[in-house]
Each structure stands twice: as structure tokens, then as C-alpha cells.
Amino acid sequence: MVIERTLVLIKHDGVVRGLVGKILDRFENIGLKICAMKMVWADEKLAENHYQLDEEWAKNVYEKTKKTRESAGEPFPFTDPIAYGKMIQSWNINFLREGPVIAMVIEGPHSVEIARKMVGSTEPRQATPGTIRGDFAMIESYALANDKERVLRNLVHASDSVDNAKREISLWFNEAEIHNYKKELDKHF
Ligand code: ADP
């Protein structure tokens, strides 16, 4: 299916830094359609469901961080990917509950892939200029976050697959909150 929906969150760091408008602009500028949007202060259940621990995610987070820190010549003293994943998951849950976020459903051709591309690398330090993280958060790094025992503050969440987008959208929105309407660009799809 070419037309996809994805879940985008402007995390609390984006809200408190006053970047909501600038971040929204990015998605609107390239023609993606906002079909649902609201401000939400997540409760424990929503935060835990959003950041579910699955083994593959834990291993992936562990490997990504290990590789980055070791290639920068920095120590990475963790040996257990699942325990590391659990630690990051609990930091994520706490951070998601720290304050309100902007939640939105974004629709358009290849929207899952395109939103991820626009958001940029997980570690803002590595994010390419032109991406949201690269332009607005580049001084943030694994080293900083892990030294302070906190989550990487990287402004935005975007679903990483069509299946995860479906699951995440259903956590944050009910059907009545997601709107169908036409935009000028739709005639090309
Ligand atoms: P992405 O948000 O780019 O899809 P992941 O799914 O790998 O990244 O991780 C989810 C979130 O967890 C990241 O956006 C980031 O805020 C946080 N995170 C991931 N790895 C780490 C880490 N090693 N230290 C601190 N926070 C992390």
C-alpha cells in the first residue's frame, strides 16, 4: 500500500523548547497530511504500551549504542543487551510521562519511511543537517545521555514500520479522532 499512516510524537523536549511549529512545518512542507493531532500527557499505561520491550528492539538499541560509543573511543561497560534495553525502556517511559507531547497521525505515500528520514538518526550528534534532529538537537549524544543516566532527548518519535505504526496509532487515537479530508496534492496519488 503506497498511502500509509504513521504516528509522530513531538516529545516533551520539543514542546518545552517551543519547536512544535517548526517541526510541524517540516511535515507540511513536503506534502504529508496531518489527519489527527492532539496534546497528550501520557499516563503509565499508555507510556508502557508505547515503549513495549521486545527482545529485538533491546538488542538493536544495545548494538547501535555500543557501536557508536566504541567507535568514538568511549567506554561502553554493558554486556547484557536485554538488561540494557530494559534500562532504556524505563528511561523512555519516565520521559514520556515527564510532560505533555504532541501526538499526530501523518498520512501520505510512503509516510512511514519518509517521516523516519526527515526525523534523522536516533543519536542527534550523528543526524544529518536538514533532518529535524540534525537541525534542532545535534549537540545531544549517547555519551551525554548515558553519563547523566537519562534518555536521549531527540525531539521526535516516528513509527519504524507500517505494522508498528498501526499498533501505535491505535494506542494514541480512536477512529473518530482520525479525519479523512482531501488536499490539493491528493489528486496525484
Ligand atoms: P528511534 O527513536 O530513532 O526510532 P529507537 O527506537 O532505537 O530510536 O529508540 C527509542 C528512543 O529511545 C530514542 O528515540 C531515544 O530517545 C531513546 N534511546 C535509544 N537508545 C538510547 C540510549 N543508548 N541512551 C539513551 N536513550 C536512548
Side-chain angles (χ1 to χ4, degrees):
M1 170 80 158
V2 173
I3 307 292
E4 298 166 353
R5 284 179 172 171
T6 190
L7 180 85
V8 172
L9 303 178
I10 302 179
K11 300 189 202 180
H12 191 53
D13 50 337
V15 173
V16 290
R17 286 189 48 203
L19 292 171
V20 172
K22 288 200 171 83
I23 293 171
L24 273 179
D25 220 30
R26 301 283 174 117
F27 294 102
E28 290 198 304
N29 282 349
I30 59 153
L32 288 171
K33 187 193 290 182
I34 299 167
C35 50
M37 184 163 66
K38 61 185 175 184
M39 181 174 256
V40 183
W41 195 322
D43 61 18
E44 197 173 347
K45 186 164 162 247
L46 176 58
E48 284 180 2
N49 282 334
H50 181 82
Y51 284 118
Q52 271 181 356
L53 185 76
D54 82 64
E55 227 170 82
E56 200 184 323
W57 179 84
K59 283 184 189 151
N60 192 30
V61 161
Y62 175 87
E63 289 303 335
K64 262 201 297 193
T65 313
K66 181 171 158 54
K67 192 167 154 221
T68 304
R69 296 217 60 180
E70 287 180 349
S71 65
E74 294 161 4
F76 186 72
F78 303 93
T79 51
D80 180 348
I82 305 298
Y84 189 75
K86 274 192 181 151
M87 178 178 77
I88 303 298
Q89 180 209 25
S90 74
W91 291 352
N92 270 325
I93 290 170
N94 291 342
F95 183 48
L96 194 51
R97 300 203 56 212
E98 198 173 295
V101 304
I102 301 292
M104 58 192 139
V105 177
I106 287 188
E107 185 182 272
H110 321 292
S111 64
V112 171
E113 173 195 326
I114 289 171
R116 297 276 297 175
K117 206 177 281 179
M118 292 173 69
V119 166
S121 306
T122 304
E123 185 191 35
R125 176 186 182 181
Q126 296 180 63
T128 313
T131 62
I132 295 169
R133 289 168 176 167
D135 283 352
F136 298 119
M138 204 189 255
I139 56 171
E140 172 67 313
S141 66
Y142 284 127
L144 248 178
N146 288 191
D147 287 356
K148 301 265 177 207
E149 301 197 333
R150 63 161 173 80
V151 81
L152 209 53
R153 289 174 181 255
N154 56 13
L155 302 172
V156 183
H157 164 85
S159 309
D160 63 4
S161 69
V162 172
D163 285 344
N164 280 340
K166 285 191 184 130
R167 189 186 76 80
E168 292 173 0
I169 289 169
S170 72
L171 292 175
W172 290 83
F173 292 94
N174 61 48
E175 270 308 313
E177 293 172 314
I178 305 174
H179 302 286
N180 286 309
Y181 63 98
K182 292 269 173 237
K183 277 178 83 175
E184 178 58 19
L185 267 178
D186 292 351
K187 66 178 182 240
H188 301 296
F189 307 148

